[in-house]
Amino acid sequence: METVNAVGRRKAAVARVIVKEGTGVINVTCHHKNRPLDVYFPSSILQYIVKQPLKTLDCEEKYDIAVNLDGGGYKGQAEALRLAIARALVKINPDDKKALRAEGFMTRDPRVVERKKPGRPKARKRFQFSKR
């Protein structure tokens, strides 16, 4: 098996992954710094989110994953990474798509921040109305 590339997005975060056979090592590169997953995401909840597709298919120790993260916050990056890993696993074995879709890992969450409108302090908030 050669390497497989995939991209995942969530909010403003973009995760690009390269998956190849290995021992289950996940390395994250962000701002030109290469770190292991547990150092980049110290929160066990975010680590759990990232590893969900691998746990679903029971292949946590089977693949090495190199990740390039850009934009967004920690939560958005973790969910973007989950989508990217799920897409890569489907490229490796298309039969796994049904199991991953049932868990909701194949769906790109379309919700993003609404843009600020001119003449308003935020996207929907208005300045205080004054009659006189």
Side-chain angles (χ1 to χ4, degrees), residues 17-111:
V17 299
I18 299 169
V19 179
K20 58 187 176 202
E21 280 188 25
T23 58
V25 178
I26 302 176
N27 278 322
V28 179
T29 304
C30 188
H31 296 98
H32 306 292
K33 291 181 186 147
N34 199 348
R35 301 184 187 125
L37 181 77
D38 56 338
V39 174
Y40 188 80
F41 292 117
S43 162
S44 59
I45 295 163
L46 295 179
Q47 291 175 30
Y48 173 77
I49 287 172
V50 168
K51 292 178 180 175
Q52 277 179 312
L54 297 167
K55 279 195 170 92
T56 302
L57 301 178
D58 236 11
C59 58
E60 293 160 274
E61 312 293 302
K62 202 172 171 187
Y63 301 110
D64 283 346
I65 304 172
V67 183
N68 186 325
L69 281 173
D70 189 40
Y74 283 118
K75 175 86 168 157
Q77 286 182 347
E79 293 182 7
L81 181 48
R82 177 175 71 183
L83 176 62
I85 290 171
R87 285 178 172 174
L89 292 173
V90 168
K91 278 187 183 177
I92 293 168
N93 184 4
D95 301 336
D96 295 335
K97 187 170 185 174
K98 192 171 184 184
L100 292 171
R101 176 158 306 285
E103 294 290 328
F105 303 145
M106 294 304 297
T107 307
R108 198 280 199 211
D109 193 337
R111 296 174 295 171

Side-chain angles (χ1 to χ4, degrees), residues 9-14 72 76 79 108-117 123-124:
R9 292 183 184 87
R10 169 76 171 98
K11 290 180 165 183
V14 180
E79 293 182 7
R108 198 280 199 211
D109 193 337
R111 296 174 295 171
V112 292
V113 176
E114 190 174 333
R115 79 179 190 90
K116 183 196 171 299
K117 315 299 186 303
R124 297 192 178 197

